[in-house]
């Protein structure tokens, strides 16, 4: 299952580099806006991360969910905390997000397998 994480990380890094190296000012600004939006502010980074995870689930963006799951793990969230956030996303998004919820569970397990469980 660790391969799932390794493959996603490699693909994301490779494609982000390709996009940035294309030197399109609008795309660079969007990437910068995304980075800056998750910086410490009136809301702390951890709160913003969970907001990103929930929004990604509701919008049914599997790549976004994967990214926010990894970031959540790196910030020290436990599985119980992540599952609670995912439950809110499922409530708001409705049953149509359940396939994405399944993939989120699978990816979280892969992240924990690779990096260890947070307690």
């Amino acid at each position: 299952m660790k391969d799932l994480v390794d493959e996603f990380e490699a693909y994301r890094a490779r494609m982000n580099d390709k996009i940035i190296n294309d030197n399109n000012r609008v795309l660079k600004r969007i990437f910068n806006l995304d980075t800056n939006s998750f910086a410490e502010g009136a809301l702390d980074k951890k709160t913003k991360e969970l907001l990103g995870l929930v929004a990604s689930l509701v919008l049914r963006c599997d790549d976004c969910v994967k990214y926010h799951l990894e970031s959540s793990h790196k910030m020290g969230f436990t599985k119980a905390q992540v599952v609670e956030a995912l439950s809110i996303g499922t409530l708001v998004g409705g049953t149509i997000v359940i396939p994405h919820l399944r993939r989120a569970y699978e990816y979280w397990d892969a992240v924990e397998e690779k990096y260890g469980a947070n307690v």
Side-chain angles (χ1 to χ4, degrees), residues 99-113:
H100 304 275
L101 176 66
R102 289 183 192 117
R103 288 188 285 276
Y105 262 76
E106 177 185 39
Y107 198 74
W108 181 263
D109 288 346
V111 168
E112 283 191 331
E113 182 181 314

Side-chain angles (χ1 to χ4, degrees), residues 20-38:
I20 293 301
N21 290 331
D22 212 17
N23 210 25
N24 179 286
R25 186 176 7 171
V26 173
L27 292 175
K28 282 185 170 186
R29 286 181 176 171
I30 290 170
F31 274 59
N32 184 270
L33 179 62
D34 180 68
T35 298
N36 286 319
S37 294
F38 285 89

Side-chain angles (χ1 to χ4, degrees), residues 11-85:
Y11 173 77
R12 186 173 181 278
R14 184 178 71 251
M15 293 311 298
N16 283 354
D17 286 346
K18 186 173 184 149
I19 291 166
I20 293 301
N21 290 331
D22 212 17
N23 210 25
N24 179 286
R25 186 176 7 171
V26 173
L27 292 175
K28 282 185 170 186
R29 286 181 176 171
I30 290 170
F31 274 59
N32 184 270
L33 179 62
D34 180 68
T35 298
N36 286 319
S37 294
F38 285 89
E40 199 76 27
L43 294 174
D44 61 50
K45 288 180 180 183
K46 288 182 86 171
T47 300
K48 289 180 178 186
E49 197 55 52
L50 288 182
L51 289 169
L53 176 60
V54 170
S56 296
L57 184 66
V58 171
L59 291 170
R60 301 185 305 265
C61 176
D62 287 334
D63 280 8
C64 304
V65 169
K66 288 177 182 177
Y67 172 79
H68 289 293
L69 285 172
E70 272 193 68
S71 295
S72 294
H73 187 274
K74 289 175 183 172
M75 290 182 161
F77 284 105
T78 65
K79 183 174 184 175
Q81 291 170 316
V82 167
V83 167
E84 196 163 311

